[in-house]
Amino acid sequence: GPNMEKYVNQLKKLRNNDPSLDTLDLNSNIVIEDHHGVEIAEALKDNTYCKKVLMNNIRQKDSSASALAEALKVNNTVEILHLENNEIGAEGAIALADMIKVNTSLIEIALNHQKGPFGNDAERALSQAFEFNQTILKFSLTVKDPGARNYINRGVTRNNELARQKRREDIDTSEIVHG
C-alpha cells in the first residue's frame, strides 16, 4: 500500500544519498515497525543530505533507538530528531545519551510520550550528556528527576547562549570583511 511505498521510497533515497531528501518523514506511518527504524539508522550512517528525521508515533523500541544513536555518532548532517509517542525505554534512552555526548549537528531532539518512563538512570545519563553537548538548542522530554531536569535545562540554556554568541561573532566578522 501507499504507506509501505512511502517508506521504501524514502529508504532508497536515504541509501542513495539523494540530495532531494532533506526531510525523512515517517510520522504515524501505520506499517512501520521497529526493524524498519534499524534499516533507516543503517542508511543514515553515510547520508549527507537528510537534515530532519521525523519518526513520531511509529512503535519504535530500544533496538531502533540504539541503532539511530549509533548512526548519529557518525552522521554530522541530521539537525532534528523527533521520536515522540514511541515505545523507547531506558536502554534506548541511554544509547541516545551516549550519542548526544559526541554528536555535533543535532539542534533539536523530541522524546516525549514513550510507553513508560525512562527511569532515573536513563534520565541521569541524558542529563550528563549535556556536560559534553554544545549544539542542542531544544530538548523535549518530561524529566521526572529534578536534578536531571535542572541539569538538562541549564545545558540547553547554555547552548542557546553559545549559539547567540556565535551568531553575533559571525555578523561582526562579516562586517569587518566587507567594510
Side-chain angles (χ1 to χ4, degrees):
N3 281 301
M4 187 46 82
E5 279 168 35
K6 186 178 180 188
Y7 165 73
V8 168
N9 183 33
Q10 290 191 68
L11 179 62
K12 194 192 293 181
K13 285 183 173 182
L14 207 55
R15 282 180 174 153
N16 292 338
N17 205 23
D18 183 330
S20 72
L21 187 76
D22 114 304
T23 300
L24 176 82
D25 184 357
L26 298 172
N27 285 342
S28 303
N29 186 322
I30 55 167
V31 298
I32 301 291
E33 291 173 36
D34 199 48
H35 68 93
H36 295 111
V38 174
E39 288 180 333
I40 291 290
E42 284 302 311
L44 269 174
K45 279 183 181 167
D46 299 316
N47 186 283
T48 57
Y49 292 106
C50 183
K51 289 187 183 308
K52 293 182 191 172
V53 175
L54 308 178
M55 297 174 65
N56 296 319
N57 195 31
I58 52 171
R59 296 165 301 284
Q60 297 303 288
K61 297 180 175 65
D62 287 335
S63 53
S64 61
S66 298
L68 282 165
E70 284 307 304
L72 293 173
K73 284 179 180 177
V74 294
N75 175 303
N76 284 308
T77 306
V78 176
E79 296 176 357
I80 294 172
L81 176 65
H82 286 194
L83 289 168
E84 295 193 315
N85 293 303
N86 280 301
E87 298 166 20
I88 299 165
E91 184 191 322
I94 289 168
L96 289 166
D98 287 340
M99 175 273 292
I100 289 168
K101 284 181 188 171
V102 297
N103 178 283
T104 56
S105 63
L106 281 167
I107 54 175
E108 182 180 315
I109 301 183
L111 287 173
N112 269 318
H113 311 299
Q114 304 302 324
K115 207 162 205 170
F118 286 155
N120 284 353
D121 289 348
E123 287 186 354
R124 287 198 192 110
L126 286 164
S127 72
Q128 285 158 6
F130 279 88
E131 278 182 53
F132 304 91
N133 183 284
Q134 299 193 332
T135 56
I136 293 172
L137 307 178
K138 188 174 180 205
F139 187 77
S140 305
L141 176 67
T142 304
V143 179
K144 305 254 189 314
D145 181 283
R149 184 171 58 235
N150 184 29
Y151 212 89
I152 291 168
N153 289 340
R154 285 207 315 258
V156 169
T157 301
R158 179 203 62 221
N159 290 354
N160 276 282
E161 187 51 44
L162 288 169
R164 270 192 295 275
Q165 284 170 5
K166 189 181 181 310
R167 279 196 300 272
R168 275 200 301 271
E169 286 164 15
D170 289 348
I171 291 165
D172 290 347
T173 52
S174 69
E175 285 171 0
I176 293 162
V177 171
H178 301 301

